Amino acid sequence: MKKQLLALSLMSLALSGCANLGVNPWERDLLAKPQMQLAAESTDMALDDHIYFSKEATSGGRSFAGGGCGCN
Amino acid sequence: MQLIKFSNINGALAAATCTLLAGVSNAQADEKSNDWQFDTAIMYYGEPDRVQAVEGVVSATKDFGDEHVFSTKLVLDTLTGASANGAVAQTSAQTFTRPSGNGEYTVEAGDTPLDDTFRDTRVQLNLAWNQPWGANQKVGAGLHISNEYDYLSVALNANYALDFNRKNTTFSVAASYAADEYSPEGGIPLALSKMAIRGDFANDDAFNSGFDDTRIGESENKDTLDVIFGLSQVINRRWLVQFNYGYSQVDGYLSDPFKVVSLVDDTGSALGHYYESRPDSRSKHSIFAQSKYHFDSLVWDMSYRLASDDWGIDSHTLESRLYIPLSDSAWITPHVRYYQQSAADFYRPFVQGDLAEYMSADYRIGQMTAYTLGLKYTQKLSDGDELSMRLEYYQQTPENSGFNSPGQLADVDLYPSVSAVIFQLGYKF
């Protein structure tokens, strides 16, 4: 519960701090590029996640941690 | 009401501006956007003397208009080779019973015991639907099914995103629930029971009965609930950041039915091998931060993940990708990843004296560092299709987290490194 409260307050702090950040719609030329998308290389990431899920103890973070395989 | 109208104008302006700025090549892409878009790849993963895998992926996406997007993905992979069974290496040869109970395999003196009977084929299907919800919100839902010879996983997921601050800030929440069933050949071993070895029994019947005594059933289940809260923020024209907090709760059968732990005496000689035992629940927390920065021509993608769970495993992951343009239509992407984890509280490379309630010698939950070095080459073709090649090297270095090695165990490698080469070909059209 404490952790959740902390996360919430951090998030609201971040949000209020973010109000002055950002760009206008006509300034999104660079942000619109494929390489600037957060989900760029999604196929590579999914393949990598599958490898690391089966070889390491931690998974997820960027996306869901559940791997759905019996990887040995 | 005014706010909503205003943001609609912003959205329209953004679309208009992007189209104007992007020029001819994007106009061609727009023509394509009503068709199916395919992203395909084939990957080879190989560890010398251990696992080899080949994985093929076909993703297809279709925009039905106004960002109502259907996507599906089919993955096929096949895996063969050998995997460490958890037992310690010895200065003499050792014999182990195969997980199925049919037959044995022998490991040479000094070698890490590897079970070389792994052979599996997996089919995975993903379906997802995503669409806007009002002016500033998006919702989506998906289904994930993965089926192997001995493993079935079915998962449902849903996501919600809210844009504000002129779409410079996005808050998102996503959840997934997965139900998995494990039905390994030979059944589920009884935790902490001793591996039956044919040589210790008078005849086949006695051995078969002894082997059956180490089994508790045909299959076991586990459930996984994942929740991720995300915040992405445009800092300026060149810089975008994202923060995620993830919680994962796994309940059910979490042991690996193929792994054992060696019981050794004061001279380090193995007295027997016992099926591992892990707790039946695990809670994980993770914090993930990602930054994307556009220099004049380079784009730098950097991320860090901190994860911690109630098994006592803490991990740090640092990852960097740099997009370096070679021309208008080609670029290379060097990739570096560094990973470090602490050992689970119940990790034991071997046990002495008594068995522990929970114990596992699986090096993958032991202390370890790993790094990946990779390079990708991407070429955009004249018709807008994209061809890519990726080569990566992955090395895991398990470490001793403070266990003394008695007798002969000092003369063998209890923490062997594992390396792998990954090669991938991709085609988008």
Side-chain angles (χ1 to χ4, degrees), chain B residues 174-195:
Chain B
S176 159
Y177 177 77
D180 295 12
E181 185 184 46
Y182 209 164
S183 37
E185 195 171 358
I188 302 285
L190 173 64
L192 308 181
S193 67
K194 187 179 180 183
M195 178 189 273

Side-chain angles (χ1 to χ4, degrees), chain B residues 74-95:
Chain B
L74 182 69
V75 182
L76 280 171
D77 61 54
T78 143
L79 180 140
T80 57
S83 183
N85 71 5
V88 287
Q90 296 276 274
T91 51
S92 53
Q94 303 184 79
T95 301

Side-chain angles (χ1 to χ4, degrees), chain B residues 158-180:
Chain B
N159 58 76
Y160 167 82
L162 172 66
D163 293 322
F164 47 98
N165 182 21
R166 295 166 296 162
K167 299 207 179 206
N168 285 300
T169 309
T170 303
F171 168 74
S172 63
V173 55
S176 159
Y177 177 77
D180 295 12

Side-chain angles (χ1 to χ4, degrees), chain B residues 334-355:
Chain B
H335 172 219
V336 182
R337 179 181 184 271
Y338 175 79
Y339 175 78
Q340 184 198 332
Q341 76 182 33
S342 63
D345 298 334
F346 55 87
Y347 170 79
R348 305 273 184 282
F350 51 85
V351 283
Q352 278 182 289
D354 296 323
L355 304 181

Side-chain angles (χ1 to χ4, degrees), chain A:
Chain A
M1 191 63 199
K2 261 186 186 170
K3 271 183 183 161
Q4 285 164 337
L5 275 175
L6 184 70
L8 268 178
S9 49
L10 273 179
M11 210 160 268
S12 45
L13 192 74
L15 291 185
S16 56
C18 289
N20 298 322
L21 297 172
V23 296
N24 289 307
W26 56 89
E27 296 170 313
R28 286 186 173 264
D29 53 332
L30 299 179
L31 294 167
K33 288 188 176 183
Q35 293 93 329
M36 283 299 282
Q37 305 313 302
L38 289 167
E41 317 274 359
S42 59
T43 299
D44 293 7
M45 304 275 182
L47 287 166
D48 285 356
D49 278 352
H50 187 202
I51 292 171
Y52 299 133
F53 173 85
S54 63
K55 306 299 295 182
E56 298 171 352
T58 309
S59 58
R62 184 191 301 274
S63 59
F64 299 126
C69 73
C71 320
N72 302 297

